[in-house]
Amino acid sequence: MESIAKRLIALREKYNFSQTDIARQIGVTPALISAYENQERKPSLDKLVALADIFHVSTDYILGRTAKIDPSVFLDMEGLSDKQIKIIRDLISEFKRN
């Protein structure tokens, strides 16, 4: 079973996010994201849910309880620029609002 830390690192890298990007989105410091990824701390329940929402995966996936990512919600953004990724994320947010 993969650790929370390994899953978070893999997801963050897949989405091409920095620790600072993730920290900003869930309202914590980059140092706390680093602590999650270095297995020094585990995310609280509300932060775990926020992380799952950012990466469009289940909390069970982050916790290592399932190996599956629903391909219909996981986007491969490899090779896209930061600007392109932001546009896609903004578009997804707009669709969710409407």
Side-chain angles (χ1 to χ4, degrees):
M1 181 165 82
E2 273 189 275
S3 69
I4 294 171
K6 285 183 182 179
R7 292 272 169 110
L8 289 177
I9 292 167
L11 288 166
R12 184 174 59 74
E13 289 175 350
K14 183 76 173 170
Y15 275 86
N16 197 29
F17 288 143
S18 68
Q19 290 178 341
T20 301
D21 294 331
I22 299 303
R24 245 186 303 231
Q25 291 183 60
I26 67 170
V28 299
T29 64
L32 184 57
I33 301 301
S34 177
Y36 295 162
E37 292 184 0
N38 289 309
Q39 298 184 4
E40 296 164 359
R41 304 251 330 251
K42 291 188 178 174
S44 64
L45 181 58
D46 64 317
K47 298 307 179 198
L48 178 66
V49 170
L51 289 164
D53 288 346
I54 289 169
F55 297 121
H56 307 288
V57 297
S58 68
T59 55
D60 276 353
Y61 179 79
I62 293 174
L63 293 170
R65 294 174 43 94
T66 181
K68 292 183 179 181
I69 296 177
D70 183 349
S72 68
V73 295
F74 190 74
L75 302 174
D76 181 2
M77 294 197 214
E78 188 172 333
L80 298 179
S81 70
D82 290 342
K83 183 177 180 179
Q84 290 169 322
I85 291 169
K86 183 179 180 335
I87 290 168
I88 291 168
R89 294 184 70 241
D90 290 346
L91 183 60
I92 290 169
S93 294
E94 184 63 29
F95 280 133
K96 285 182 176 183
R97 280 192 292 271
N98 293 319

